[in-house]
């Protein structure tokens, strides 16, 4: 096994956050990969015991918090940033930013750190304008010259540009100068108009895979037929769904076996070199994958019968902008449900069931999904219960985000990751 590195650390952080609710983000890592080291896990837990609850409560896209953000240059270095806080948490921006050139991926280095911010706090559900003055920090005459290719964008943060706590918005310095000279608004380069933005609607589960939703238990189907970006509404629907699950499952005659989530069972790195994306260096290929423990699917829907039941999920990372080579946003691909072998064996030949994503499955039905079994655990890869068409599913995942880049090469990356792990998942499981 390879020595401990930053990808292992991120993986440990993912497990720790899932189990404790504490976000141990230090800003030093961005990716997880399918390797876990038990000894380092213990050390990570010890190191994080002193962290405060504030880390958990801070606004983060990793916790499901969402926002809408856009920038409008007013001239003379003044940028108005329209922010809509779509979460149930307060969002407080730090008075820090990065100015980037999209076509080169390079940061425009400031002449000074004197960048005044006003209006940095946005209450839960509130919107407003944050004002930033770049006039003393950058050469505005240079920025106001039209770019031959691409556009500029700002990176803003509420926590030192940590992953999940940094946000991008394009800004057109040259367009504002043109508008002032001609009286016409050309619209910011690389951004959508209000009309175009209204037309971008996330693809809900029912739309993405109506046949699969139709197979869900009828009483539970409405939960999967709805989709919302509002965290408070999402949590309310989840609580109602869990209560209904408990009521319905309480009427089932037989044994319903709950999944387990053993930390000692994980995925090892492939022994052979794998190539998922030819645009990414060979030694970075595994950074395009992640392994997580999740209680919800890609649509933020509860996958078990309670908020304590979770699956091991193999994800593919896709870039946030063209040219990124180290991933960015994870797309959950393969869902592995783990059960104690003893519980499975006891229920064999009787009325034994498992409950996955709104469906009650017999043990006989689960046999076709089995990928691993030993004296302690039995594992099933059940992605066909979550989607039936990979391309359609991935596009529906992408439709939920405004901060991802997706083209045919990215699609080929996802397809390659899916194909490789679907074929090799069983033999990569180990302690």
């Amino acid at each position: 096994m390879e020595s401990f590195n930053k990808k292992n650390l991120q993986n440990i952080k993912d497990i720790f956050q899932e189990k404790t609710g504490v976000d141990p983000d230090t800003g030093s890592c961005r990716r997880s990969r399918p390797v876990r080291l038990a000894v380092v896990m213990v050390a990570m837990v010890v190191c994080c015991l002193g962290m405060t609850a504030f880390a958990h409560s801070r606004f983060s896209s990793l916790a499901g918090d969402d926002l809408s953000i856009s920038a409008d240059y007013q001239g003379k270095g003044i940028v108005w940033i329209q922010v809509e806080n779509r979460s149930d948490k307060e969002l407080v921006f730090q008075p820090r930013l990065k100015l980037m050139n999209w076509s080169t991926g390079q940061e425009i280095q400031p002449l000074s750190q004197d960048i005044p911010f006003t209006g940095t706090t946005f209450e839960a559900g509130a919107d407003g304008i944050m004002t930033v003055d770049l006039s003393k920090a950058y050469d505005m005459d240079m920025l106001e010259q039209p770019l031959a290719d691409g556009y500029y964008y700002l990176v803003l943060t509420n926590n030192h540009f940590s992953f999940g706590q940094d946000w991008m918005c394009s800004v057109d310095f040259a367009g504002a100068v043109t508008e002032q000279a001609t009286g016409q608004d050309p619209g910011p380069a690389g951004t959508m108009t209000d009309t175009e933005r209204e037309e971008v609607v996330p693809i809900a589960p029912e739309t993405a895979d109506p046949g699969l939703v139709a197979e869900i238990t009828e009483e539970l189907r409405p939960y999967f037929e709805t989709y919302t970006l509002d965290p408070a509404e999402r949590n309310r629907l989840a609580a109602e769904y869990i209560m209904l699950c408990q009521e319905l499952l309480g009427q089932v005659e037989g044994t319903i076996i709950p999944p387990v989530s053993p930390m000692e069972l994980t995925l090892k790195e492939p022994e052979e070199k794998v190539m998922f994306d030819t645009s990414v260096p060979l030694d970075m290929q595994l950074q395009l994958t992640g392994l997580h423990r999740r209680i919800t699917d890609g649509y933020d829907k509860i996958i078990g019968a309670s908020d304590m039941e979770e699956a091991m999920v193999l994800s593919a990372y896709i870039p946030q902008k063209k040219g990124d080579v180290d991933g960015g946003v994870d797309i959950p691909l393969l869902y592995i449900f783990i059960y104690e072998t003893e519980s499975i064996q006891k229920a064999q030949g009787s009325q034994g069931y498992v409950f996955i994503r709104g469906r009650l499955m017999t043990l006989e039905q689960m046999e076709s999904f089995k990928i691993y079994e030993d004296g302690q655990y039995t594992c099933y890869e059940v992605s066909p219960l979550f989607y039936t068409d990979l391309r359609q599913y991935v596009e529906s995942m992408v439709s939920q985000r405004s901060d991802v880049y997706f083209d045919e090469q990215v699609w080929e990356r996802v397809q390659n990751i899916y194909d490789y792990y679907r074929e090799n998942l069983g033999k990569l499981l180990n302690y």
Side-chain angles (χ1 to χ4, degrees), residues 378-399:
T378 301
C379 304
Y380 304 90
E381 195 285 292
V382 294
S383 57
L385 302 181
F386 288 77
Y387 57 89
T388 56
D389 185 291
L390 180 63
R391 180 64 183 253
Q392 192 173 32
Y393 169 74
V394 172
E395 289 181 351
S396 71
M397 293 292 99
V398 172
S399 76

Side-chain angles (χ1 to χ4, degrees), residues 148-214:
D149 181 35
Y151 55 90
Y152 295 109
Y153 66 92
L154 299 174
V155 183
L156 303 160
T157 183
N158 69 326
N159 187 24
H160 307 284
F161 303 101
S162 299
F163 184 50
Q165 293 174 306
D166 58 346
W167 299 276
M168 300 181 298
C169 58
S170 62
V171 56
D172 181 23
F173 299 108
V177 175
T178 302
E179 179 184 358
Q180 292 168 4
T182 66
Q184 299 177 352
D185 181 4
T191 62
M192 296 181 293
T193 65
D194 290 340
T195 301
E196 291 172 328
R197 189 175 291 110
E198 290 173 0
E199 293 174 352
V200 177
V201 179
I203 302 175
E206 184 183 26
T207 304
D209 212 326
L212 199 59
V213 172

Side-chain angles (χ1 to χ4, degrees), residues 15-260:
I15 299 176
F16 184 82
Q17 183 173 357
E18 289 285 344
K19 288 300 180 184
T20 67
V22 176
D23 181 2
D25 199 348
T26 64
S28 60
C29 299
R30 292 187 58 181
R31 306 288 167 258
S32 63
R33 65 191 285 186
V35 178
R36 281 170 169 74
L37 299 176
V39 174
V40 181
M41 176 61 189
V42 173
M44 189 69 193
V45 172
V46 172
C47 291
C48 292
L49 286 177
M51 297 187 67
T52 66
F54 179 73
H56 173 57
S57 62
R58 182 175 288 174
F59 187 106
S60 171
S61 62
L62 298 180
D65 300 317
D66 190 27
L67 60 77
S68 171
I69 186 169
S70 61
D72 187 12
Y73 182 54
Q74 302 298 304
K76 298 182 179 180
I78 303 299
V79 180
W80 286 357
I81 300 173
Q82 179 72 43
V83 178
E84 180 185 354
N85 183 351
R86 296 175 175 174
S87 84
D88 56 0
K89 297 178 186 174
E90 180 184 63
L91 170 60
V92 182
F93 286 94
Q94 291 178 325
R96 305 175 59 185
L97 61 77
K98 296 178 183 179
L99 176 61
M100 309 290 293
N101 184 316
W102 178 86
S103 60
T104 65
Q106 299 297 313
E107 180 179 0
I108 309 301
Q109 294 300 323
L111 304 175
S112 77
Q113 298 301 320
D114 186 5
I115 306 178
F117 280 67
T118 58
T120 56
T121 300
F122 297 86
E123 301 294 334
D127 58 48
I129 293 177
M130 176 169 60
T131 302
V132 178
D133 185 352
L134 305 178
S135 60
K136 296 180 181 179
Y138 295 95
D139 181 350
M140 299 311 303
D141 289 338
M142 183 272 293
L143 293 178
E144 289 172 356
Q145 298 301 312
L147 287 172
D149 181 35
Y151 55 90
Y152 295 109
Y153 66 92
L154 299 174
V155 183
L156 303 160
T157 183
N158 69 326
N159 187 24
H160 307 284
F161 303 101
S162 299
F163 184 50
Q165 293 174 306
D166 58 346
W167 299 276
M168 300 181 298
C169 58
S170 62
V171 56
D172 181 23
F173 299 108
V177 175
T178 302
E179 179 184 358
Q180 292 168 4
T182 66
Q184 299 177 352
D185 181 4
T191 62
M192 296 181 293
T193 65
D194 290 340
T195 301
E196 291 172 328
R197 189 175 291 110
E198 290 173 0
E199 293 174 352
V200 177
V201 179
I203 302 175
E206 184 183 26
T207 304
D209 212 326
L212 199 59
V213 172
E215 296 177 5
I216 291 172
T217 301
E218 184 176 359
E219 294 88 342
L220 301 174
R221 206 173 298 157
Y223 174 63
F224 296 92
E225 293 174 341
T226 60
Y227 184 80
T228 177
L229 293 173
D230 177 35
E233 177 68 6
R234 189 165 60 220
N235 292 339
R236 184 187 67 81
L237 293 172
E240 293 178 354
Y241 172 77
I242 290 172
M243 290 181 61
L244 186 54
C245 285
Q246 299 303 317
E247 179 183 342
L248 294 175
L249 296 180
Q251 303 171 14
V252 174
E253 294 184 3
T255 302
I256 301 176
I257 306 166
V260 294

Side-chain angles (χ1 to χ4, degrees), residues 263-323:
M263 291 299 107
E264 68 270 21
L265 187 61
T266 184
L267 293 183
K268 64 181 179 180
E269 289 189 8
E271 295 180 0
E272 69 275 22
K273 296 293 185 180
V274 293
M275 179 64 72
F276 301 129
D277 189 332
T278 56
S279 69
V280 177
L282 182 61
D283 62 353
M284 296 178 65
Q285 294 296 313
L286 293 183
Q287 294 188 44
L288 304 178
T289 69
L291 193 68
H292 313 274
R293 311 282 171 148
R294 298 189 186 276
I295 65 170
T296 58
D297 64 10
Y299 300 100
D300 295 311
K301 299 296 184 182
I302 299 292
I303 62 177
S306 74
D307 58 1
M308 299 296 292
E309 298 182 5
E310 60 186 15
M312 180 191 293
V313 180
L314 189 285
S315 299
Y317 281 104
I318 64 174
Q320 291 182 285
K321 63 181 180 66
K322 186 176 182 179

